[in-house]
Amino acid sequence: MSVTFRQLAPTFAAEVSGIDCRQPLSQDQIAAVEAGMDQYAVLVFRDQTITDEQQLAFTMQFGELENYNSGGHIRKRADSRLGAGIADFSNLDKNGNIMSDQDRVWFFKLGDRLWHSDSSFRPVPARYSLLSGRVLPSWGANTEFADMRAAYNALDERTKAEVEDLVCLHSLMYSREAIGFTDLTEEERASFQPVRQRLVRVHPVTGHRSLFLSSHAGAIEGQTIPEARMFLRDLTEHATQREFVYSHSWRPFDLVMWDNRTTMHRARRFDRNEVRDVRRTTLAGDVITIEQEAAAAD
Ligand code: MN
C-alpha cells in the first residue's frame, strides 16, 4: 500500500494513509513518513488501535527514545501506571482515577496548555513526539500546532536580522511561573536550571529556518528580563496567528506525530471530570542548537 498525504492546514500538517502503525514498516515506508515529516511537520494517523508496546516499536523505527535520566524535566513517577518509555499525559492517577485539582502533577499538566516545544528546557531538545489518543473527553481537548517555519518566513526583514543570532534561556520554571505555579521543591529548582537554545533553528534536512519559541523560554542573552519577555511574547503572538495554526480535534486512536524542531503546540481545555487518556513517546534530538552554524545555508 502506498503512503499518501492529505494536507490539513494552509502551510503544514497532513493526514497519512497507507500506514498501519501496529506493523513493522518497510524501509520505503519509513523514508516516506520521514519525508512527510520534513514537509508537513505534523502527521495524523487515524484509527491506529495500538498498544503501548506497539507505540514504542513504531516510534523506535524513527530513532532513539529520549532518555529521562538527566536533569531539566519532571522525573517519571515511580508509581506510574505505564511502562518504561511511555509518558502518561492523562489526567489519571496511579489507580486510574481522575486526578485531584490540587494534585501537583495536575499543575504541571496545566502548563502544557501554554504554547511550547517538547523538552526545549533540556540541553538537547526532543526531535519527534508521538501522542496516541486512547480515551478522549466529549468536549474540547484539541491539540493545536503552530508552524514555526511559516511564522519565521512571515517576519519582516528587520526582525529576521534581529533574531538571527539570539540565544534564549529555557526552563520548566519559566513556563510554570507563567501560570502562577511557583511552589517548586528544592530538588525541582536544582534540576530545572535554564539551558541555552538558539532562537532561530535551521532544519538539518530541509535547511528551512524556523523560530524556536516555547513558553519555557524566559530570557534572552544580552537583554533585560522585561525586554526579553516582551519580545518573546510579541514573537509568540505573531507565530500563533490562525494562519499558522492547525487545531487537531481528537478521535479515539488517532496517533499524531510532530517535529518539535519546527512546530510549537498546546493542549486545550476540557472538562476535568471526564477522562483524557493520551500517551506519548518521544524521540531524542541530536542537535545542540547553540552549536548550529549561525550562517547555515537556506
Ligand atoms: Mn507538549
Side-chain angles (χ1 to χ4, degrees), residues 89 112 116-118 258 265 280:
F89 277 80
D112 292 337
H116 66 282
S117 175
D118 288 333
W258 65 87
H265 61 280
R280 197 181 88 194

Side-chain angles (χ1 to χ4, degrees), residues 51 104-105 111 131 151 163 188 243 270 275:
T51 63
R104 298 180 84 256
V105 177
L131 195 61
V163 295
E188 283 165 345
E243 63 201 280
F270 60 96
V275 173

Side-chain angles (χ1 to χ4, degrees), residues 127-178:
R127 185 163 157 253
Y128 298 165
S129 294
L130 295 88
L131 195 61
S132 167
R134 307 292 174 85
V135 181
L136 287 318
S138 59
W139 174 88
N142 277 22
T143 302
E144 294 187 338
F145 297 90
D147 183 351
M148 295 296 103
R149 301 169 301 188
Y152 174 84
N153 290 342
L155 293 173
D156 62 72
E157 292 308 313
R158 182 184 172 125
T159 309
K160 280 182 184 168
E162 215 178 329
V163 295
E164 178 68 16
D165 294 319
L166 292 180
V167 173
C168 298
L169 299 180
H170 293 235
S171 165
L172 262 177
M173 267 187 291
Y174 297 133
S175 51
R176 273 49 194 173
E177 181 187 292

